[in-house]
Amino acid sequence: PASSTSEGPAARSMTVETAEMQKRKLDGDAEAPEEAGGEAAEVSSAKRAAAAGTVPVPMQVDLGGAMRSEDFSPELLRVYYDRLFPYQQMFRWLSYRHDPKSTSPGVQKDFFLRREFTFVLQGDIFCRYLCFRDAEEWKNQIRARQPIRMEIGAVFTHPPKNHNTVIKEAYKPLEREL
């Protein structure tokens, strides 16, 4: 089980002992051995007392891999978008190599412009119907807005930013990702 850096060694130790105790229960050994000692023995004795109906046991919740709000760091997100995010690889994938700067006759220069993106900003603020001319504009907007989540939408017949100005029947998705 993951633990945050704010927990001390005793809390981490208890988490490990609790996980070991749960594993023994799953393996068929209902109680931890008495020689294990420490907090695991106290927890099992507390559970025996609770089973007898004498002492309430506080519920322990394992968040597993879930991200807690205190784990989020805007500074780390900025570093990720500045140094690690694969802008060029994502652009090539999402544009299907329809580069707006290409001189090839078969290239749809507005292909990437017609793809919808949604940015979810901190505080669950959804910015929908976003579209970008090229990889550079996309990169600049990501770095400026720092979305905590991005959703990749379909490629439409018209740029998504114009969805209100296009006749409803003419604005249709042409291609979607899995």
Short mmCIF file of all heavy atoms in Angstrom, two decimals, residues 1-2 11-27 29 32 39-40 43 47 60 62:
data_model
loop_
_atom_site.label_atom_id
_atom_site.label_comp_id
_atom_site.label_asym_id
_atom_site.label_seq_id
_atom_site.Cartn_x
_atom_site.Cartn_y
_atom_site.Cartn_z
N PRO A 1 0.82 -1.19 0.00
CA PRO A 1 0.00 0.00 0.00
C PRO A 1 0.86 1.24 0.00
O PRO A 1 1.84 1.30 0.71
CB PRO A 1 -0.83 -0.10 1.27
CG PRO A 1 -0.79 -1.52 1.68
CD PRO A 1 0.44 -2.09 1.08
N ALA A 2 0.45 2.24 -0.77
CA ALA A 2 1.22 3.47 -0.86
C ALA A 2 0.95 4.33 0.36
O ALA A 2 -0.13 4.34 0.91
CB ALA A 2 0.84 4.23 -2.12
N ALA A 11 3.40 4.85 11.23
CA ALA A 11 2.19 4.70 10.42
C ALA A 11 2.44 3.77 9.25
O ALA A 11 1.60 2.93 8.91
CB ALA A 11 1.72 6.06 9.93
N ARG A 12 3.61 3.90 8.60
CA ARG A 12 3.94 3.01 7.49
C ARG A 12 4.07 1.58 7.96
O ARG A 12 3.63 0.64 7.32
CB ARG A 12 5.22 3.47 6.80
CG ARG A 12 4.95 4.51 5.74
CD ARG A 12 6.20 4.88 5.00
NE ARG A 12 6.43 6.26 5.39
CZ ARG A 12 7.55 6.75 5.86
NH1 ARG A 12 8.62 6.02 5.94
NH2 ARG A 12 7.66 7.99 6.21
N SER A 13 4.66 1.38 9.14
CA SER A 13 4.83 0.06 9.71
C SER A 13 3.48 -0.58 9.98
O SER A 13 3.26 -1.75 9.70
CB SER A 13 5.66 0.14 10.99
OG SER A 13 5.69 -1.10 11.63
N MET A 14 2.54 0.22 10.53
CA MET A 14 1.22 -0.30 10.81
C MET A 14 0.51 -0.69 9.52
O MET A 14 -0.16 -1.70 9.45
CB MET A 14 0.39 0.73 11.56
CG MET A 14 -0.96 0.22 11.96
SD MET A 14 -1.81 1.44 12.94
CE MET A 14 -3.46 0.88 12.80
N THR A 15 0.69 0.10 8.46
CA THR A 15 0.08 -0.21 7.18
C THR A 15 0.62 -1.53 6.64
O THR A 15 -0.14 -2.37 6.17
CB THR A 15 0.35 0.92 6.18
OG1 THR A 15 -0.12 2.13 6.73
CG2 THR A 15 -0.34 0.65 4.86
N VAL A 16 1.93 -1.75 6.74
CA VAL A 16 2.53 -2.99 6.27
C VAL A 16 2.04 -4.17 7.09
O VAL A 16 1.66 -5.20 6.55
CB VAL A 16 4.08 -2.90 6.32
CG1 VAL A 16 4.71 -4.23 6.08
CG2 VAL A 16 4.56 -1.87 5.30
N GLU A 17 2.00 -4.00 8.44
CA GLU A 17 1.53 -5.08 9.30
C GLU A 17 0.07 -5.39 9.03
O GLU A 17 -0.33 -6.56 9.02
CB GLU A 17 1.74 -4.71 10.77
CG GLU A 17 3.21 -4.74 11.18
CD GLU A 17 3.42 -4.23 12.59
OE1 GLU A 17 2.45 -3.80 13.24
OE2 GLU A 17 4.58 -4.27 13.03
N THR A 18 -0.74 -4.37 8.82
CA THR A 18 -2.15 -4.57 8.51
C THR A 18 -2.30 -5.33 7.19
O THR A 18 -3.11 -6.25 7.10
CB THR A 18 -2.90 -3.22 8.43
OG1 THR A 18 -2.69 -2.52 9.65
CG2 THR A 18 -4.37 -3.41 8.19
N ALA A 19 -1.51 -4.98 6.20
CA ALA A 19 -1.56 -5.68 4.91
C ALA A 19 -1.15 -7.14 5.07
O ALA A 19 -1.76 -8.04 4.48
CB ALA A 19 -0.66 -4.99 3.90
N GLU A 20 -0.11 -7.39 5.89
CA GLU A 20 0.32 -8.77 6.11
C GLU A 20 -0.77 -9.57 6.81
O GLU A 20 -1.01 -10.73 6.49
CB GLU A 20 1.62 -8.80 6.92
CG GLU A 20 2.81 -8.32 6.12
CD GLU A 20 4.07 -8.16 6.98
OE1 GLU A 20 4.00 -8.37 8.21
OE2 GLU A 20 5.11 -7.81 6.40
N MET A 21 -1.45 -8.94 7.78
CA MET A 21 -2.52 -9.61 8.50
C MET A 21 -3.67 -9.94 7.54
O MET A 21 -4.22 -11.05 7.59
CB MET A 21 -3.02 -8.73 9.64
CG MET A 21 -4.02 -9.44 10.53
SD MET A 21 -4.48 -8.49 11.98
CE MET A 21 -5.25 -7.09 11.22
N GLN A 22 -4.01 -9.02 6.65
CA GLN A 22 -5.08 -9.27 5.69
C GLN A 22 -4.71 -10.40 4.75
O GLN A 22 -5.54 -11.23 4.40
CB GLN A 22 -5.39 -8.00 4.90
CG GLN A 22 -6.06 -6.93 5.73
CD GLN A 22 -6.20 -5.62 4.99
OE1 GLN A 22 -5.60 -5.42 3.94
NE2 GLN A 22 -6.98 -4.71 5.55
N LYS A 23 -3.45 -10.47 4.37
CA LYS A 23 -2.99 -11.54 3.49
C LYS A 23 -3.10 -12.89 4.19
O LYS A 23 -3.54 -13.87 3.60
CB LYS A 23 -1.55 -11.29 3.05
CG LYS A 23 -1.05 -12.30 2.06
CD LYS A 23 0.33 -11.95 1.58
CE LYS A 23 0.74 -12.89 0.49
NZ LYS A 23 1.65 -13.87 0.85
N ARG A 24 -2.73 -12.95 5.48
CA ARG A 24 -2.84 -14.21 6.22
C ARG A 24 -4.29 -14.64 6.31
O ARG A 24 -4.60 -15.82 6.21
CB ARG A 24 -2.24 -14.06 7.61
CG ARG A 24 -0.72 -14.15 7.61
CD ARG A 24 -0.19 -14.30 9.02
NE ARG A 24 -0.41 -13.12 9.84
CZ ARG A 24 0.44 -12.11 9.96
NH1 ARG A 24 1.58 -12.14 9.31
NH2 ARG A 24 0.17 -11.08 10.73
N LYS A 25 -5.20 -13.69 6.48
CA LYS A 25 -6.62 -14.04 6.53
C LYS A 25 -7.08 -14.64 5.21
O LYS A 25 -7.83 -15.60 5.18
CB LYS A 25 -7.46 -12.82 6.88
CG LYS A 25 -7.47 -12.50 8.34
CD LYS A 25 -8.49 -11.43 8.61
CE LYS A 25 -8.64 -11.27 10.10
NZ LYS A 25 -9.66 -10.29 10.40
N LEU A 26 -6.62 -14.05 4.12
CA LEU A 26 -6.99 -14.57 2.81
C LEU A 26 -6.40 -15.95 2.57
O LEU A 26 -6.98 -16.78 1.89
CB LEU A 26 -6.53 -13.62 1.70
CG LEU A 26 -7.30 -12.31 1.64
CD1 LEU A 26 -6.66 -11.39 0.60
CD2 LEU A 26 -8.76 -12.54 1.30
N ASP A 27 -5.23 -16.19 3.13
CA ASP A 27 -4.59 -17.49 2.97
C ASP A 27 -5.18 -18.56 3.89
O ASP A 27 -4.77 -19.71 3.84
CB ASP A 27 -3.07 -17.38 3.23
CG ASP A 27 -2.38 -16.59 2.14
OD1 ASP A 27 -2.94 -16.50 1.03
OD2 ASP A 27 -1.28 -16.06 2.40
N ASP A 29 -5.33 -18.36 7.42
CA ASP A 29 -4.88 -18.23 8.80
C ASP A 29 -5.66 -17.07 9.40
O ASP A 29 -5.36 -15.92 9.16
CB ASP A 29 -3.37 -17.97 8.86
CG ASP A 29 -2.84 -17.93 10.27
OD1 ASP A 29 -3.59 -18.34 11.19
OD2 ASP A 29 -1.69 -17.48 10.46
N ALA A 32 -3.30 -13.54 13.43
CA ALA A 32 -1.86 -13.36 13.35
C ALA A 32 -1.21 -14.09 14.51
O ALA A 32 -1.77 -14.16 15.60
CB ALA A 32 -1.51 -11.87 13.42
N GLU A 39 1.67 -3.81 16.94
CA GLU A 39 0.33 -3.31 16.66
C GLU A 39 -0.55 -4.36 15.98
O GLU A 39 -1.75 -4.35 16.12
CB GLU A 39 0.43 -2.05 15.80
CG GLU A 39 1.11 -0.93 16.54
CD GLU A 39 1.40 0.27 15.67
OE1 GLU A 39 1.06 0.22 14.48
OE2 GLU A 39 1.96 1.24 16.18
N ALA A 40 0.06 -5.29 15.24
CA ALA A 40 -0.74 -6.33 14.57
C ALA A 40 -1.43 -7.19 15.60
O ALA A 40 -2.60 -7.56 15.43
CB ALA A 40 0.15 -7.17 13.66
N VAL A 43 -4.29 -5.22 17.04
CA VAL A 43 -5.41 -5.14 16.10
C VAL A 43 -6.20 -6.43 16.11
O VAL A 43 -7.42 -6.42 16.16
CB VAL A 43 -4.91 -4.81 14.66
CG1 VAL A 43 -6.02 -4.97 13.67
CG2 VAL A 43 -4.34 -3.40 14.62
N LYS A 47 -10.02 -7.02 17.24
CA LYS A 47 -11.03 -7.63 16.37
C LYS A 47 -11.74 -8.78 17.09
O LYS A 47 -12.93 -8.99 16.92
CB LYS A 47 -10.40 -8.12 15.07
CG LYS A 47 -10.06 -6.98 14.14
CD LYS A 47 -9.58 -7.49 12.82
CE LYS A 47 -9.30 -6.30 11.91
NZ LYS A 47 -8.84 -6.73 10.61
N GLN A 60 -10.67 0.83 8.71
CA GLN A 60 -9.50 1.28 7.97
C GLN A 60 -9.82 1.21 6.49
O GLN A 60 -10.29 0.19 6.00
CB GLN A 60 -8.30 0.40 8.28
CG GLN A 60 -7.87 0.50 9.72
CD GLN A 60 -6.70 -0.42 10.01
OE1 GLN A 60 -6.28 -1.18 9.15
NE2 GLN A 60 -6.17 -0.33 11.21
N ASP A 62 -8.35 1.57 2.66
CA ASP A 62 -7.15 1.59 1.82
C ASP A 62 -7.50 2.32 0.53
O ASP A 62 -8.37 1.88 -0.22
CB ASP A 62 -6.69 0.17 1.53
CG ASP A 62 -5.45 0.12 0.66
OD1 ASP A 62 -4.75 1.15 0.58
OD2 ASP A 62 -5.19 -0.93 0.07
#
